[in-house]
Amino acid sequence: SVEDESLEFCEDTTMILTADLNNVSYEWSTGATTKEITVGEPGTYTVLLTDVNGCSATKTIELEQIDIPRIDTIISDGPSIIVSTSNDGDFEFSLDGFNFQTSSIFEAVEGGLYTIYVQDTSDCGVVAQSFFHLVIPKFFTPNGDSVNDVYEPEGLEVFNNVEFSIFNRYGKLLKFGNSNSSSWDGSFQGNQMPEDDYWFVIKADTTQFKGHFSLKR
């Protein structure tokens, strides 16, 4: 008897399809007349099997491709790292290549240089991409209670040369620092700056980061 099959194979590999019957002639939808064929494209394959008495049966094989993950973007969102893929699948994500999670969001990650790994759960291969995670606070509260008193991006120590600039909403430079001083206490020339939105520009080696944050009192 002939049984239809549904099979899966990994992207960029080949699959051997077999009719699995002896003493018959084979006529595949690809034109092949062998018992087995090697294919590398997903789709529907059929093979017409005919025995010596002229009795025929058709076997259908549905071949589905499992895609290798494609990393689209990796961004820092506060202390979180968010990974997006440009294709869908049963993907898992990791920061070390060993411990994988189904969520594409890594929470409460210290700033620094990381390698992001993404793999399909079917063992079709893993892709990796290096990523610099700059933890940028969305607000700070310089009120002297020792909690979030200083605006200080985290993770810049991996760079050789850092320039750190803070501007108010009118573009006035309030703070300029370097690798040794990339923080702001909320003051300018001894005066406490008002509660407002402020802008930062960080030049770290050949990379530039821009954004805004809130000063809350």
Side-chain angles (χ1 to χ4, degrees):
S1 66
V2 174
E3 287 190 11
D4 294 342
E5 284 186 289
S6 293
L7 303 173
E8 294 179 331
F9 77 115
C10 297
E11 183 181 0
D12 293 336
T13 65
T14 56
M15 185 84 173
I16 295 175
L17 307 182
T18 179
D20 217 19
L21 277 181
N22 297 317
N23 303 317
V24 296
S25 65
Y26 313 96
E27 190 178 328
W28 290 89
S29 50
T30 61
T33 57
T34 50
K35 181 178 178 180
E36 295 180 339
I37 60 171
T38 301
V39 296
E41 294 292 330
T44 303
Y45 296 86
T46 59
V47 56
L48 179 66
L49 307 165
T50 307
D51 67 15
V52 291
N53 299 318
C55 296
S56 296
T58 300
K59 173 173 179 156
T60 301
I61 300 174
E62 295 284 351
L63 187 58
E64 185 180 338
Q65 175 176 290
I66 298 171
D67 292 338
I68 297 169
R70 290 173 177 80
I71 296 173
D72 185 25
T73 59
I74 306 172
I75 62 168
S76 298
D77 182 29
S80 299
I81 297 176
I82 302 175
V83 184
S84 299
T85 57
S86 58
N87 59 340
D88 294 324
D90 294 324
F91 297 153
E92 297 177 318
F93 305 84
S94 174
L95 290 179
D96 60 11
F98 298 103
N99 300 294
F100 282 84
Q101 62 182 44
T102 54
S103 170
S104 61
I105 300 173
F106 300 96
E107 297 180 347
V109 184
E110 291 184 358
L113 197 57
Y114 291 88
T115 301
I116 310 294
Y117 300 87
V118 187
Q119 69 179 13
D120 187 275
T121 55
S122 306
D123 263 355
C124 274
V126 60
V127 292
Q129 185 172 314
S130 61
F131 175 69
F132 172 69
H133 178 41
L134 181 61
V135 179
I136 298 174
K138 297 185 177 183
F139 68 91
F140 78 125
T141 54
N143 54 12
D145 67 354
S146 300
V147 179
N148 211 8
D149 271 342
V150 176
Y151 184 79
E152 186 168 24
E154 178 194 317
L156 289 169
E157 59 276 356
V158 301
F159 292 100
N160 295 315
N161 298 297
V162 173
E163 292 183 0
F164 175 80
S165 305
I166 301 288
F167 303 89
N168 67 9
R169 63 169 62 246
Y170 307 107
K172 182 177 181 179
L173 180 65
L174 305 177
K175 162 80 180 186
F176 180 80
N178 55 28
S179 308
N180 303 318
S181 173
S182 50
S183 64
W184 185 46
D185 63 3
S187 68
F188 177 64
Q189 293 181 344
N191 297 315
Q192 295 296 316
M193 291 294 98
E195 190 169 285
D196 203 350
D197 277 358
Y198 293 85
W199 271 253
F200 68 86
V201 177
I202 298 170
K203 294 179 182 176
D205 291 346
T206 57
T207 308
Q208 183 166 292
F209 305 89
K210 286 182 176 180
H212 60 90
F213 61 95
S214 299
L215 188 163
K216 298 180 179 181
R217 296 209 178 272

